Amino acid sequence: MAPILELRDVEAGYGPFRALFGVSLTVEPGEAVALIGANGAGKTTLARVASGLLAPSSGTVLVDGTGMAEAAAWRFVRTGVVHAPEGRSVFATLSVEDNLALSFQRAFGRAGLAGALRRAYELFPRLGQRRTQIAGTLSGGEQRMLSLARVLVESPRLLIADELSLGLAPLVVDQVFATLGRIREAGTALLIVEQQVGHALELCDRAAVLEHGLITWQGPAESAGAALESRLFTTGAAH
Amino acid sequence: MSGAAGFFEDLFRGLLQGTPPGAVYALIALGFVLTYKTSGVFNLAFGAQAYISAAMYFKTHTLWGWPKWAALVVSAFVLAPLIGLVLERLIFRHLRTASAVSKLVVAIGLSVALPELFNQAARFTAVAGRQISGIMPDGAGVFYDPFGVYRFNRDELAMMAVALIATLLLAALFRFTMIGLAMRAVVESPRMTGLSGINADRVSAVAWALSSTFAGLAGVLIAPRFNSLISTEFFMLVVIAVAAAAVGKLVSLPRALLGGLGLGWFIAVFNTFLPRWSGDHTWLRPFQENLTPSLPFVVLFAVLVLWRAIGREREASDPLSGVDPPPPALAALERHPKLTLFTRLFGVGFIAVVGSVVWFRAGVLWMHLVTTAVIMSVIYLSVTVITGMAGQISLCQGTFAAIGGFTIFQMADRFNLSVLAAALLGAGVAAAVGAVLSLPVLRLGGVWLAIATLAFAFFFDAVMVKFSWVGGGTTALLTGTRVPRPLVGPVDFASDRAFLVLAVVVLVIVSIVVIQLREGTVGRTLTALRGSEVAAASIGISAARARIVAFAMSAAIAGLGGALLSMHQQNVNYSTNFGPVNALFWLVIVVALGARTVEGAIQAGAAFALFEPLILKGDLLAWILRGEDHLPGLFPMSGSWRLVLFGLMAIQFARHPEGLVEHGKRRASARINQWLEAER
Ligand SMILES: Nc1ncnc2c1ncn2[C@@H]1O[C@H](COP(=O)(O)OP(=O)(O)OP(=O)(O)O)[C@@H](O)[C@H]1O
Ligand SMILES: [Mg+2]
């Protein structure tokens, strides 16, 4: 079976600035991959390319073995590749419920909308209490919950999650990872960018280390810890 | 007749009378809100779109004799959405992340360019002095009088019905369907919408097609209320309707409907009662005569300034704007000394050549055109100060210039003051008016500031000019607003050559002042503010003082320029020189050619006066090809092409705020610079 996501020699950047220098990475159906790297290594850029937000300047992105000619995020979503971007990614002028409805309507249809909303509010009861509030006025953590609720309820085929736990209280982080584990069991593949490396490696099968826009190590998640330590120390000494 | 019964009957009649014009405002306000909600554009070109459909309807139905339904379908349901789709595809799709102010400038450019483009393409000329027919059979001839106090004709009823039905349908669209929600989402962040699995491009295309159809429909429906078909009337209506739209903070459709109707009712009731009161109190009479035509603008200005909610809302920024690369830096201002020297020498040489050609060879006409170019450059420097330096869009520069012109007319022609002293006084008066005006409007900022200044310009146009102590009143009607040329000692500036020298001297002085202002504290403060007001405030820079200074300076420069222009033409010629819609073109031409530099203003001045004869009429080419004696009319292209050209160039403002020519020049000089550096 073709991998659900495949990057082949992807180079990408912003205007004249290049952030990725020929990255190749695959995610098999049902697999969970952790993407690890220092600040500014290019993790977010890779996630953006993988979800069609950013067009690669060279190389190809394949979903289910077919190349995505134009980078159009909505096409990726329709094939089941969903991206929860870094930071406060909500529509600040829409209400909590409208934010959710926008995604759920497409994913579940008009009939499934109410059920999906209910599941979202079960997952994050705080959102349920604030369903009519304008999303821009939610607290930072609540906004994170909102953007997570959007992707977690849906159980897509591949979830690309960029810094999920940033700005959430430890208890909520645990709960988010529990939910991730659950949708994983249900068959969702994961590509996870996370600063809390321990949490991520626990959940994932495989890890990839990104340094200065290049993947420098790939391997099973269990051995990632040791590899990472040695790399960190050696590169740390080199600098 | 008992007083109370009469009062209520009058009130009722006033309300009924106000309903049809109220419905006009409502229709436009609805369309305006619709566009703003679904595309995030403060679309002043809405009037232009409405005009095009109205003109198309007139052309197909009245001139070509098509049946009404066919004309309606073609003009409102085919042409209008098509224009919307083209605008979306070519322009607004690429500006989704641009600031509201730059989108406003784009819309202003379009509102200048589109009507002329249509007129030229369809060989349509403005129609005046005839009844424009509406969409109902015998629409203006069949009346209904449900209450026995006011008679509605069929066209009016159709218009009111459409306004009501449209409000209900659109409100339902936004409430009950996802497409409305998706449109609002796209306005905020097309990328986030994409991540929700929605094709943002398709949604915004639908949004533009929808709102443009509405513009077209509104245009066809309201045209019968005029007995002319002129694009500026439509522009003015849109400006008024902004007041109605503002009541609903630009997002509520039902409130826009109520705002529009309310405006119509208020004006009609006011007009019913004011004459009655002023019958008893004669001192009210001058107000009655002057206030009624301007009431919409007074209301607009009052709504903008007094309605606290306006101007408070923050622009929602795209949470995924981090995906965009940083905007390209303005091409380097640091230059190689050789290049600077070369450009300076070239500039001096160019001016010397042009100057001597003009001085020795130009006839009366060309002397006149060059003088106009120099004076317009002075006026355009006022735009450089307010728009280029302070980053604010002021649409009342024509008014400030007119204040300069009228002051000199009043002082010199009527009170025999020295003309040059009167010109300085005019600049001072303009500065004072500018400073006072800036106090209430500066709070607004951005788009609202532009609208408030436009309201002020229309108010001046409708009311102030009529006062005899401003525009000269009835004497001016008989004798014109005469302005003498100055006479200083032995030099009589009545000679055109001497006057040209005077204009050049003023231009040089004003240029130096503008450069000093830019390099000084005020200029630096303004630059910091343009970066980020919040950040500037947090390091203790106060916005207010610098902005007021900029506004007053800009007004003074415009006033001085206006005074010069009036001396030059020996008449104020208010409506051809300084009318609000004419002055709109000033902004367009300056931002098209370069709003940030003195050079840009001079280029714009030259383009304003000389583009038409030199390029459009082909005189430059004719001079080269045929020699001096056979100049006129190589290509008889219409002068309105310059509106089209500069209007379309102004669209680039969103991407190159320094102006298109300036942008090109900077790029070229950066390249030469690189080359020179490499040589070293
Ligand atoms: N919009 C942009 N324009 C220009 N450069 C950018 C842009 N976004 C990111 N970069 C640069 O690209 C590089 C990679 O950034 P990226 O956001 O992918 O890093 P990251 O690995 O996600 O870092 P972090 O762990 O801090 O989130 C960085 O050097 C960053 O400065
Ligand atoms: Mg990141």
Side-chain angles (χ1 to χ4, degrees):
Chain A
M1 199 159 65
I4 186 163
L5 175 75
E6 181 175 0
L7 306 187
R8 279 192 201 150
D9 292 324
V10 164
E11 297 193 4
Y14 306 91
F17 179 85
R18 275 209 300 173
L20 295 181
F21 300 85
V23 170
S24 298
L25 182 75
T26 54
V27 181
E28 301 293 337
E31 191 188 24
V33 179
L35 193 61
I36 300 166
N39 291 132
K43 303 180 299 292
T44 299
T45 309
L46 195 152
R48 284 170 179 166
V49 171
S51 64
L53 268 184
L54 187 67
S57 49
S58 80
T60 41
V61 181
L62 299 101
V63 175
D64 297 326
T66 49
M68 304 297 274
E70 51 165 341
W74 65 275
R75 285 188 199 280
F76 283 67
V77 176
R78 300 252 164 131
T79 55
V81 176
V82 165
H83 178 189
E86 192 180 38
R88 302 184 174 191
S89 45
V90 299
F91 292 103
T93 57
L94 302 184
S95 71
V96 169
E97 189 142 321
D98 282 347
N99 263 281
L100 293 173
L102 209 58
S103 282
F104 292 168
Q105 167 91 10
R106 180 209 32 90
F108 302 103
R110 187 164 279 269
L113 182 60
L117 285 173
R118 206 181 49 242
R119 267 175 286 154
Y121 298 145
E122 271 163 20
L123 194 59
F124 297 111
R126 284 201 71 81
L127 294 181
Q129 296 155 14
R130 296 174 179 275
R131 63 180 71 187
T132 54
Q133 191 170 334
I134 297 300
T137 61
L138 293 174
S139 80
E142 287 165 345
Q143 293 191 19
R144 283 305 288 155
M145 290 180 201
L146 181 54
S147 46
L148 286 181
R150 184 174 72 77
V151 294
L152 289 180
V153 167
E154 208 176 303
S155 12
R157 291 176 53 230
L158 168 63
L159 172 60
I160 302 170
D162 195 352
E163 315 262 358
L164 278 187
S165 59
L166 200 73
L168 291 178
L171 264 179
V172 185
V173 173
D174 289 344
Q175 188 201 347
V176 166
F177 273 94
T179 317
L180 281 180
R182 223 178 315 128
I183 66 171
R184 231 212 107 182
E185 308 273 90
T188 297
L190 299 174
L191 177 61
I192 292 191
V193 177
E194 189 53 69
Q195 295 294 354
Q196 305 212 359
V197 179
H199 255 114
L201 289 180
E202 222 166 88
L203 182 74
C204 292
D205 315 303
R206 216 147 56 74
V209 177
L210 200 62
E211 280 179 283
H212 303 298
L214 280 170
I215 291 194
T216 52
W217 187 87
Q218 282 199 64
E222 304 89 68
S223 49
L228 209 58
E229 225 155 80
S230 70
R231 292 206 69 82
L232 276 184
F233 283 122
T234 51
T235 50
H239 275 277
Chain B
M1 189 168 65
S2 88
F7 173 81
F8 283 113
E9 199 183 313
D10 280 359
L11 183 67
F12 191 54
R13 182 181 304 118
L15 289 178
L16 289 183
Q17 244 168 11
T19 308
V24 170
Y25 299 137
L27 264 181
I28 295 177
L30 281 171
F32 197 80
V33 168
L34 185 67
T35 322
Y36 187 75
K37 232 173 127 135
T38 59
S39 63
V41 177
F42 201 91
N43 188 13
L44 281 185
F46 189 84
Q49 289 176 274
Y51 165 77
I52 289 177
S53 286
M56 187 70 181
Y57 183 81
F58 184 83
K59 180 134 189 147
T60 46
H61 171 64
T62 311
L63 300 183
W64 292 350
W66 290 17
K68 289 194 170 192
W69 65 266
L72 177 67
V73 167
V74 165
S75 52
F77 296 100
V78 177
L79 181 64
L82 214 60
I83 291 173
L85 288 174
V86 170
L87 292 181
E88 194 271 340
R89 190 71 196 83
L90 295 186
I91 301 170
F92 289 106
R93 179 175 296 184
H94 311 287
L95 299 183
R96 283 197 289 227
T97 46
S99 75
V101 168
S102 31
K103 285 190 230 171
L104 175 76
V105 174
V106 172
I108 291 174
L110 282 177
S111 69
V112 169
L114 281 183
E116 288 309 324
L117 197 58
F118 174 81
N119 287 352
Q120 295 299 329
R123 293 170 196 282
F124 189 83
T125 41
V127 178
R130 76 184 268 186
Q131 176 76 42
I132 310 293
S133 71
I135 59 164
M136 300 302 284
D138 201 11
V142 180
F143 291 92
Y144 300 88
D145 191 352
F147 307 103
V149 279
Y150 180 75
R151 307 190 312 154
F152 293 103
N153 72 29
R154 267 194 191 161
D155 280 334
E156 286 172 346
L157 288 176
M159 184 177 65
M160 295 184 307
V162 170
L164 189 64
I165 294 169
T167 311
L168 294 177
L169 283 182
L170 290 172
L173 181 80
F174 278 99
R175 173 141 305 195
F176 300 115
T177 74
M178 278 291 148
I179 183 80
L181 188 57
M183 284 175 187
R184 283 163 60 199
V186 171
V187 170
E188 191 175 334
S189 170
R191 289 207 180 84
M192 285 275 298
T193 319
L195 285 184
S196 305
I198 296 166
N199 183 351
D201 289 343
R202 171 121 42 93
V203 171
S204 72
V206 170
W208 273 95
L210 178 70
S211 63
S212 303
T213 306
F214 199 84
L217 191 60
V220 174
L221 285 172
I222 64 186
R225 290 198 60 83
F226 305 127
N227 52 7
S228 61
L229 206 52
I230 300 169
S231 62
T232 51
E233 300 245 19
F234 284 83
F235 179 78
M236 211 157 84
L237 267 181
V238 172
V239 175
I240 299 168
V242 169
V247 171
K249 284 203 208 171
L250 292 186
V251 289
S252 162
L253 293 165
R255 284 218 220 168
L257 176 76
L258 282 184
L261 286 174
L263 192 60
W265 289 330
F266 176 73
I267 293 170
V269 168
F270 200 84
N271 287 347
T272 318
F273 285 102
L274 194 62
R276 220 167 59 171
W277 294 333
S278 58
D280 302 338
H281 309 279
T282 41
W283 57 271
L284 274 171
R285 203 157 279 154
F287 283 94
Q288 185 205 331
E289 280 156 13
N290 292 310
L291 204 56
T292 29
S294 74
L295 213 50
F297 303 109
V298 176
V299 173
L300 172 59
F301 195 77
V303 166
L304 292 181
V305 171
L306 301 178
W307 197 276
R308 306 304 298 180
I310 288 177
R312 287 283 168 80
E313 79 275 11
R314 281 172 304 148
E315 247 182 84
S317 59
D318 184 348
L320 289 181
S321 56
V323 181
D324 284 321
L330 298 185
L333 284 172
E334 301 287 312
R335 283 183 178 179
H336 196 280
K338 258 192 212 163
L339 180 59
T340 314
L341 186 69
F342 174 74
T343 42
R344 292 235 171 105
L345 283 180
F346 178 78
V348 169
F350 182 74
I351 288 173
V353 170
V354 171
S356 54
V357 167
V358 170
W359 192 257
F360 293 113
R361 313 213 61 114
V364 177
L365 174 68
W366 280 91
M367 197 63 105
H368 164 81
L369 287 175
V370 171
T371 311
T372 308
V374 172
I375 296 172
M376 288 317 286
S377 304
V378 174
I379 294 182
Y380 289 163
L381 281 171
S382 77
V383 182
T384 308
V385 171
I386 195 73
T387 301
M389 281 166 57
Q392 311 273 8
I393 304 297
S394 157
L395 298 175
C396 61
Q397 298 304 103
T399 307
F400 294 140
I403 289 174
F406 281 133
T407 309
I408 207 171
F409 153 68
Q410 294 284 352
M411 289 300 142
D413 191 55
R414 304 173 108 201
F415 299 101
N416 263 327
L417 193 71
S418 139
V419 184
L420 284 183
L424 291 180
L425 184 66
V429 174
V433 173
V436 171
L437 179 70
S438 74
L439 294 177
V441 301
L442 278 176
R443 175 187 72 81
L444 298 167
V447 168
W448 294 111
L449 175 80
I451 299 301
T453 51
L454 195 56
F456 176 69
F458 275 115
F459 172 74
F460 186 85
D461 182 68
V463 181
M464 302 308 289
V465 175
K466 310 266 160 59
F467 284 109
S468 65
W469 52 271
V470 179
T474 39
T475 26
L477 282 182
L478 294 177
T479 59
T481 40
R482 269 178 301 130
V483 173
R485 290 268 181 92
L487 176 69
V488 182
V491 189
D492 187 354
F493 289 99
S495 132
D496 283 343
R497 275 191 191 182
F499 191 74
L500 176 58
V501 172
L502 176 70
V504 170
V505 169
V506 172
L507 176 60
V508 170
I509 294 173
V510 172
S511 302
I512 292 171
V513 169
V514 169
I515 291 172
Q516 290 301 324
L517 192 69
R518 187 171 59 198
E519 307 296 317
T521 324
V522 170
R524 297 217 185 128
T525 310
L526 291 173
T527 313
L529 287 172
R530 216 173 40 206
S532 160
E533 181 144 343
V534 180
S538 73
I539 55 170
I541 294 177
S542 150
R545 207 184 67 91
R547 292 230 169 109
I548 292 173
V549 170
F551 224 84
M553 268 309 281
S554 162
I557 294 172
L560 188 61
L564 269 185
L565 192 64
S566 310
M567 285 188 225
H568 172 53
Q569 301 180 351
Q570 305 192 356
N571 198 323
V572 179
N573 288 333
Y574 170 76
S575 54
T576 45
N577 285 334
F578 306 123
V581 179
N582 297 346
L584 210 60
F585 182 61
W586 297 1
L587 176 79
V588 166
I589 195 169
V590 177
V591 300
L593 294 176
R596 293 262 169 102
T597 55
V598 170
E599 257 168 285
I602 295 174
Q603 285 158 8
F608 179 87
L610 305 177
F611 184 78
E612 184 176 347
L614 277 185
I615 311 291
L616 286 179
K617 303 284 183 227
D619 281 6
L620 193 61
L621 201 59
W623 194 51
I624 295 166
L625 292 181
R626 303 187 193 160
E628 208 166 307
D629 302 329
H630 309 279
L631 280 189
L634 184 60
F635 345 105
M637 278 175 81
S638 158
S640 50
W641 280 109
R642 75 185 177 156
L643 299 181
V644 176
L645 182 78
F646 291 114
L648 294 180
M649 271 171 84
I651 290 170
Q652 291 300 319
F653 180 76
R655 258 182 270 176
H656 306 299
E658 74 271 35
L660 210 54
V661 171
E662 189 63 24
H663 174 73
K665 276 201 322 209
R666 285 193 189 183
R667 266 222 325 242
S669 79
R671 220 168 278 152
I672 298 171
N673 213 13
Q674 249 173 14
W675 180 72
L676 283 173
E677 295 284 337
E679 289 281 279
R680 247 203 315 215

